[in-house]
Amino acid sequence: MANCKSAKKRIRVIDKKTARNRRVKNHLKDVLKSFEANIAAGEMEAAKADLKLAEKKLMQAAAKGTIHKNAASRKVSRLNQRFNKANA
C-alpha cells in the first residue's frame, strides 16, 4: 500500500481511468457483437447503422487513449470490408 500522499492520489486516478477504459471497451464489444449478429442475420440496414456507431465509438476510444489510433483504424477498415463483402 502507498504511504505518501502523491502515491495515494495516483492510485485513485489509476482506478478512475481503469474503470473508464473498462466501460469503453465493454461498450465497444457490445456494438461489435451487434454488428456481427446483424451481418449473420442478413439485416443490412441495421448492420449499416451499427457500422456507423462502431466507427464513431472506436475513434472516440482512440482519441481518449483507451486503444491505439492505428488499432481503431484497422478495426474500422476490417468492419467496412466485412460489410461490403456481405452486402455484395
Side-chain angles (χ1 to χ4, degrees):
M1 187 64 203
N3 289 325
C4 63
K5 190 175 180 181
S6 61
K8 289 177 183 177
K9 180 180 177 181
R10 292 308 307 162
I11 290 171
R12 288 196 310 270
V13 170
I14 289 168
D15 287 342
K16 286 181 188 175
K17 287 185 176 185
T18 301
R20 184 190 70 201
N21 288 343
R22 196 173 286 145
R23 240 187 346 267
V24 169
K25 286 183 180 182
N26 285 336
H27 192 248
L28 275 175
K29 287 178 193 174
D30 291 342
V31 171
L32 296 177
K33 283 180 189 176
S34 176
F35 173 77
E36 293 294 334
N38 286 328
I39 288 287
E43 299 172 8
M44 289 303 146
E45 290 301 318
K48 188 174 184 179
D50 282 341
L51 176 62
K52 187 176 177 183
L53 180 63
E55 182 174 354
K56 179 182 176 184
K57 292 299 178 183
L58 282 164
M59 289 306 160
Q60 284 177 342
K64 289 291 184 181
T66 302
I67 59 174
H68 196 274
K69 66 175 187 168
N70 291 351
S73 294
R74 183 179 64 244
K75 287 175 190 270
V76 167
S77 176
R78 289 178 180 172
L79 289 174
N80 277 313
Q81 284 178 343
R82 269 189 64 78
F83 179 75
N84 291 336
K85 188 175 179 182
N87 212 10

